[in-house]
Amino acid sequence: MLKAVVFDDEYIVLEGLRSMIDWQRYGIELAGTAGDGLTALQMLRDEAPDIVLTDIRMPGMDGLQLIETAAKELPDTMFLIFSGFNEFEYVKRAIGLGVVDYLDKPITVSKIEDALLKAIERIAKQQEFSALKVKWEASRAQLLEKATLDLLLTGAKAVDQWKEAFGPDAARVVGLTVLAFAEAHPGVPEHPTYRIVDVTNGEERLSVAFHYALPPEFLWERLFEMSNQASSAFGTGKLYLSLSEAPNSYREALRALRYGRFLEENGWTRIEDVEGNEPLPADLSKHEEAVIVSLRTGDREGLSKALDGFEAWVEAQKPDPDQVEQEILKLVYLGRKIAEESGKNLRKLEAVGHGQLSAMHTREDMFRWLRSRLDGLLSLTPEPRPATKHPAIEKALSYLEEQYGQDVSLQELAEHVGLNPTYFSLLFKEEVGITYIKHLTRIRMEKAKTMLREGMRVGEVSEKVGYLNYRHFTEIFKKSVGVTPGQYRESFHPACKGGVS
């Protein structure tokens, strides 16, 4: 039902309109009346009516002033004016304000009813237009989502279709970055320097940032903020300048996300942090980790439970036998790597025997083969875990102490110590208790605190500890220390207050 209000400073007019008009007949509820402009304005704000009938001449605020003020707050409300003064200037102003009808006094029932019908007809058209607009916008959003997904999957073949769906702003796009999320998220905040298009592909939750300006500083800042508050992982691919390279960023984003999940890290993982890693199936990473940890710690019971879990997963998910074979071989080779790095002689073991595994057709046979190989490896690993850190981790820690001011990637660090990046990342977390990125951040913050206590400017410190983005450095420092770098510096050097660069 529509809602109407009537304003006039003559009591007899108000009562006449209240009683003589059959409001229900028109599907209208008369929500209230007022005799002066100020009371009328408050009633408009309280009731938000669909139709307003008002006199021009009222104390406090005349009808045209009332409409001019209220129309900004209630753009969809229909206004009907009546007056005993049919002056040209009044009519001209009323038309300019979009008034539906201008009625001369004396007011008759037929005049009011005709005006109400006109207002109702306009409301119906407006609602119909609004519904069509909503439907059109939804359809357009769906087309853009589909075109964006096609762009991620096929690259150059979908560029023209994507440009048509994206609209005129497609000409402004100078690059793109794909984001992949582990769970539903509130969305990446928008900004004039980029546009976000959300996409789903099966269970994959994706967002594509189409950049209007480079470098994308504002997007990185928002991702840092999201990372600090995230309860799950998300990953990003590289930024590509060509739309045809969208599939590359898409694959990289999924890979970064998978790595973040593998390490059970909430927040943002960049592909630059994991470049060189072999992909890890998200559902299998927990089984792989359990097997590897059991081998390293000589935990025979733990190994048995881990393999039971892996086998139960295979039984439930029924993956392709080739995939199972690849995962089994991967576990065997990682296990041999563990034994080799522990100084054990692998010549005592029989060969891996790829051909044996490939010839097996049942899950039971394949897992019996896997258990026999890992049992053999377990006999070579030390029973008690050594108190000292693995030599490769000691070497990595020394390297990070020396290179903390550089952009040290996982690939670079793993190559420096001569280990597979996947195995190294797991080994580092197990030995140190945190990921290499968090450890590097901890070193950088301690070095930054030392420099700030010595009076060095914040901007200079930011660059020296490896952060070219000053805002990012400030945010990380405050999260770690509890105050901004400037505040920390001022606490030791009060005379330096206000100096940041």
Side-chain angles (χ1 to χ4, degrees):
M1 180 172 284
L2 299 176
K3 188 186 295 186
V5 291
V6 179
F7 306 140
D8 197 297
D9 62 344
E10 295 184 39
Y11 178 77
I12 191 171
V13 173
L14 293 179
E15 286 302 309
L17 291 177
R18 186 200 303 273
S19 59
M20 295 175 64
I21 302 298
D22 185 358
W23 300 96
Q24 294 288 333
R25 174 187 172 190
Y26 298 99
I28 297 174
E29 171 198 355
L30 184 59
T33 63
D36 66 86
L38 296 178
T39 304
L41 180 59
Q42 187 58 50
M43 184 175 291
L44 282 175
R45 288 169 172 164
D46 293 340
E47 298 292 342
D50 301 289
I51 301 173
V52 175
L53 297 91
T54 181
D55 190 9
I56 285 185
R57 297 284 181 96
M58 288 189 298
M61 177 183 289
D62 71 35
L64 294 179
Q65 290 175 321
L66 175 69
I67 294 171
E68 194 168 11
T69 302
K72 297 174 184 177
E73 302 175 24
L74 303 168
D76 295 330
T77 296
M78 302 294 159
F79 293 93
L80 307 172
I81 284 185
F82 38 82
S83 175
F85 303 90
N86 191 2
E87 299 177 10
F88 175 74
E89 284 302 319
Y90 282 140
V91 175
K92 183 179 177 182
R93 281 186 61 196
I95 293 173
L97 293 172
V99 170
V100 175
D101 210 346
Y102 189 103
L103 310 177
D104 297 329
K105 286 187 177 180
I107 302 300
T108 64
V109 172
S110 61
K111 283 183 180 180
I112 292 295
E113 290 180 339
D114 288 344
L116 286 176
L117 288 172
K118 187 182 295 186
I120 291 170
E121 182 181 359
R122 185 175 293 188
I123 289 172
K125 289 182 179 179
Q126 186 180 68
Q127 290 176 341
E128 182 180 355
F129 173 77
S130 296
L132 287 173
K133 185 178 180 181
V134 169
K135 188 175 181 180
W136 180 78
E137 289 290 349
S139 175
R140 183 180 176 189
Q142 290 175 356
L143 289 173
L144 178 56
E145 180 180 347
K146 183 182 182 303
T148 301
L149 179 58
D150 289 342
L151 185 68
L152 298 182
L153 297 175
T154 63
K157 295 180 181 178
V159 169
D160 290 340
Q161 181 185 8
W162 174 86
K163 287 181 177 179
E164 183 177 348
F166 197 82
D169 283 343
R172 297 174 53 205
V173 173
V174 293
L176 63 83
T177 304
V178 180
L179 300 84
F181 294 85
E183 297 178 0
H185 59 97
V188 181
E190 290 284 0
H191 190 271
T193 59
Y194 59 81
R195 179 179 175 184
I196 298 293
V197 178
D198 294 322
V199 178
T200 57
N201 184 26
E203 296 298 318
E204 298 170 358
R205 300 176 181 88
L206 310 166
S207 293
V208 185
F210 294 100
H211 304 288
Y212 296 142
L214 296 177
E217 295 292 339
F218 290 99
L219 177 61
W220 297 160
E221 289 174 13
R222 278 152 179 75
L223 295 183
F224 286 131
E225 293 168 2
M226 289 178 62
S227 184
N228 291 336
Q229 302 167 3
S231 58
S232 61
F234 67 92
T236 56
K238 293 178 184 176
L239 187 160
Y240 287 91
L241 303 183
S242 172
L243 293 171
S244 63
E245 293 185 283
N248 295 337
S249 190
Y250 168 46
R251 289 190 293 269
E252 291 164 354
L254 292 178
R255 188 172 164 198
L257 171 62
R258 198 169 274 180
Y259 181 72
R261 285 173 133 180
F262 176 71
L263 293 179
E264 298 181 353
E265 293 289 336
N266 293 334
W268 183 16
T269 301
R270 306 178 310 155
I271 187 59
E272 289 82 356
D273 298 330
V274 300
E275 195 69 72
N277 275 348
E278 297 174 4
L280 290 172
D283 290 335
L284 292 181
S285 63
K286 60 182 181 181
H287 304 303
E288 292 173 341
E289 181 171 356
V291 168
I292 293 167
V293 170
S294 298
L295 287 171
R296 291 206 68 246
T297 57
D299 184 357
R300 192 173 296 276
E301 182 180 353
L303 177 62
S304 179
K305 289 181 179 179
L307 290 173
D308 288 344
F310 181 22
E311 188 169 3
W313 181 91
V314 171
E315 182 178 6
Q317 299 298 321
K318 297 179 174 56
D320 185 274
D322 290 340
Q323 181 187 356
V324 178
E325 179 183 337
Q326 291 301 313
E327 289 303 322
I328 286 176
L329 285 173
K330 180 178 180 180
L331 287 174
V332 171
Y333 276 110
L334 284 174
R336 291 174 72 92
K337 187 71 172 176
I338 291 169
E340 185 178 18
E341 290 170 358
S342 298
K344 303 302 179 181
N345 185 0
L346 297 185
R347 284 181 293 181
K348 296 179 180 180
L349 296 176
E350 59 182 306
V352 173
H354 292 206
Q356 296 175 12
L357 183 62
S358 299
M360 295 175 184
H361 301 292
T362 68
R363 185 183 72 252
E364 289 78 7
D365 288 343
M366 295 174 76
F367 273 89
R368 189 179 299 113
W369 183 89
L370 173 62
R371 289 176 190 275
S372 69
R373 293 301 186 276
L374 295 186
D375 280 341
L377 290 171
L378 193 63
S379 65
L380 298 179
T381 56
E383 286 297 329
R385 180 174 174 174
T388 57
K389 286 186 172 59
H390 190 288
I393 299 304
E394 295 283 7
K395 188 175 181 180
L397 292 174
S398 297
Y399 187 78
L400 290 175
E401 283 286 345
E402 297 171 0
Q403 303 294 326
Y404 66 86
Q406 307 300 316
D407 186 12
V408 182
S409 69
L410 177 62
Q411 176 72 16
E412 176 186 346
L413 195 56
E415 288 179 355
H416 179 72
V417 300
L419 293 181
N420 170 275
T422 301
Y423 173 64
F424 170 74
S425 63
L426 174 63
L427 180 63
F428 191 99
K429 185 181 179 184
E430 185 184 345
E431 291 275 350
V432 182
I434 56 176
T435 63
Y436 97 94
I437 282 291
K438 287 190 175 181
H439 182 76
L440 177 58
T441 300
R442 183 179 292 176
I443 294 174
R444 286 172 167 175
M445 293 303 103
E446 290 303 317
K447 299 291 185 183
K449 286 160 65 177
T450 299
M451 295 176 191
L452 291 169
R453 287 196 297 269
E454 293 172 352
M456 194 176 294
R457 292 181 177 274
V458 177
E460 187 178 358
V461 172
S462 175
E463 292 184 8
K464 282 186 174 295
V465 297
Y467 295 98
L468 299 180
N469 185 308
Y470 169 79
R471 291 187 182 181
H472 182 205
F473 169 64
T474 299
E475 185 176 317
I476 296 296
F477 189 93
K478 185 175 181 181
K479 183 180 178 182
S480 173
V481 182
V483 296
T484 66
Q487 291 169 336
Y488 185 85
R489 178 174 178 249
E490 290 165 15
S491 67
F492 293 92
H493 302 276
C496 296
K497 189 172 184 179
V500 296
S501 59

